[in-house]
Amino acid sequence: MNQKHYSLDLNKIVDSHCHLDFVDFDNDRDKIISNAKKNNVNYFLTISVNLEDFEKVYKVTQNYENIWCTTGIHPNNVSSNINSMQLDEIQRNILTNLKNKKVVGLGETGLDFFRDEENKANQKDSFMLHLFLSGKKKYPTIVHTRDADDDTIHCINESVKKYSSTGLIHCFTSTKTFAKKALDNGFYISFSGIITFKNATDLIDVVKYVPLDKILVETDSPYLAPVPFRGKRNEPSYVNSTLEKVSEIKKIKKNELIKTTTKNFFTLFSKIQNDH
């Protein structure tokens, strides 16, 4: 890892997936980010969910230190009538957005058949486009998957073989079997506050299984606040609760886990280091 041009502090925490551009933070974004830094959360990746709002996402990275962003289309925002011309336009727009140095990843993309089973083919086309660009341009993909494990892994398998795509499964809530397949493809696993919920027994077994050098932590804020904040608006400072739970499960000191997850983040999102 090249740290020559960028002062990276491994003792600081990364929230590897948040939505700081969302309207939920419009009235107190400064306070939320300041509070995170007071709680040792110093690095943030704010995630794009569509191309229309990219400028707002990108603006957040310009206004604050140590915040980066992605560009892409969430599966639930994929058009129900995509054709090849539209896919070409999406690709051009994503490639244009990638020219901005603060853009370090693709997505969030993926498959979500929980809400929309009728749009499977279009979601797959969009997902494969993101994965293709991941390999072509060397940017990791942030993968959202819900009720679509088999298709998600099939797309990842194909893209890793064809394009050498990279990325992570964000807000992991699936099985150990799915985790193994993702890890076998070199993908990272990111855990959210869901692991602190009372009914997260199976997920805790996955945390035990995933090797330390493949773990990231996130809030997915403003959603999914961890215990003891469950039911409230989530915010980046609350990633501490997720770290504490992972450290308890993995039987590792929290400060060591912070160093590991921060190093993992900057290893995967290597554009941050390379562009400084």
Side-chain angles (χ1 to χ4, degrees):
M1 189 186 301
N2 178 14
Q3 298 183 33
K4 184 177 180 181
H5 303 297
Y6 185 71
S7 179
L8 170 60
D9 188 347
L10 292 179
N11 295 301
K12 300 294 185 182
I13 299 167
V14 180
D15 183 355
S16 68
H17 192 113
C18 50
H19 298 279
L20 295 173
D21 66 296
F22 277 18
V23 65
D24 307 68
F25 298 120
D26 280 355
N27 293 327
D28 61 353
R29 192 170 287 108
D30 289 345
K31 181 180 177 183
I32 290 299
I33 293 170
S34 175
N35 188 50
K37 293 188 176 183
K38 287 176 184 175
N39 285 276
N40 202 36
V41 183
N42 203 56
Y43 306 114
F44 313 80
L45 185 62
T46 189
I47 305 295
S48 172
V49 295
N50 60 54
L51 298 180
E52 292 76 14
D53 293 328
F54 172 76
E55 289 305 320
K56 186 178 180 185
V57 177
Y58 188 68
K59 184 178 179 181
V60 173
T61 73
Q62 300 301 289
N63 290 340
Y64 302 94
E65 186 182 13
N66 294 339
I67 299 181
W68 300 273
C69 71
T70 65
T71 181
I73 305 173
H74 190 288
N76 289 330
N77 292 329
V78 172
S79 171
S80 59
N81 59 352
I82 284 182
N83 57 42
S84 59
M85 287 182 65
Q86 289 169 321
L87 282 172
D88 287 343
E89 183 180 359
I90 290 169
Q91 177 170 317
R92 285 194 298 271
N93 287 334
I94 288 175
L95 289 172
T96 296
N97 293 343
L98 289 177
K99 292 177 182 178
N100 298 294
K101 282 191 175 182
K102 281 286 193 97
V103 182
V104 298
L106 291 156
E108 66 187 278
T109 180
L111 302 173
D112 190 324
F113 300 156
F114 176 77
R115 294 177 182 166
D116 190 0
E117 279 208 22
E118 303 303 315
N119 203 29
K120 286 185 177 181
N122 292 310
Q123 284 193 22
K124 287 179 185 177
D125 285 345
S126 175
F127 188 24
M128 288 302 292
L129 173 60
H130 286 75
L131 289 166
F132 163 71
L133 291 174
S134 170
K136 181 180 179 181
K137 305 302 290 185
K138 307 303 179 190
Y139 286 81
T141 42
I142 293 84
V143 178
H144 167 108
T145 179
R146 191 173 186 189
D147 287 2
D149 282 8
D150 290 344
D151 290 283
T152 299
I153 285 298
H154 176 75
C155 290
I156 290 173
N157 282 340
E158 289 298 304
S159 65
V160 169
K161 289 176 187 173
K162 291 181 180 178
Y163 317 125
S164 300
S165 309
T166 61
L168 65 90
I169 310 298
H170 113 86
C171 192
F172 192 92
T173 56
S174 193
T175 64
K176 190 186 295 185
T177 300
F178 181 85
K180 182 181 186 304
K181 291 175 180 177
L183 291 165
D184 286 346
N185 278 293
F187 273 55
Y188 288 68
I189 305 290
S190 181
F191 294 106
S192 70
I194 290 175
I195 66 169
T196 69
F197 297 176
K198 286 183 179 179
N199 61 351
T201 307
D202 291 342
L203 195 52
I204 287 171
D205 287 337
V206 178
V207 178
K208 290 177 181 177
Y209 170 74
V210 176
L212 283 169
D213 65 353
K214 287 295 181 180
I215 289 179
L216 297 176
V217 288
E218 64 173 90
T219 58
D220 201 14
S221 54
Y223 311 118
L224 301 174
V227 175
F229 307 102
R230 193 172 181 186
K232 299 180 180 180
R233 178 191 64 172
N234 202 1
E235 61 179 77
S237 66
Y238 297 168
V239 75
N240 276 282
S241 295
T242 302
L243 276 162
E244 286 160 9
K245 187 65 177 180
V246 174
S247 68
E248 172 191 319
I249 295 166
K250 301 292 274 185
K251 298 183 178 2
I252 179 176
K253 291 181 179 178
K254 183 183 174 185
N255 63 330
E256 290 302 316
L257 183 62
I258 289 168
K259 290 177 182 177
T260 298
T261 53
T262 298
K263 182 179 179 182
N264 291 345
F265 175 83
F266 283 97
T267 299
L268 179 60
F269 293 93
S270 58
K271 294 283 185 183
I272 297 171
Q273 295 286 79
N274 294 338
D275 286 341
H276 283 78

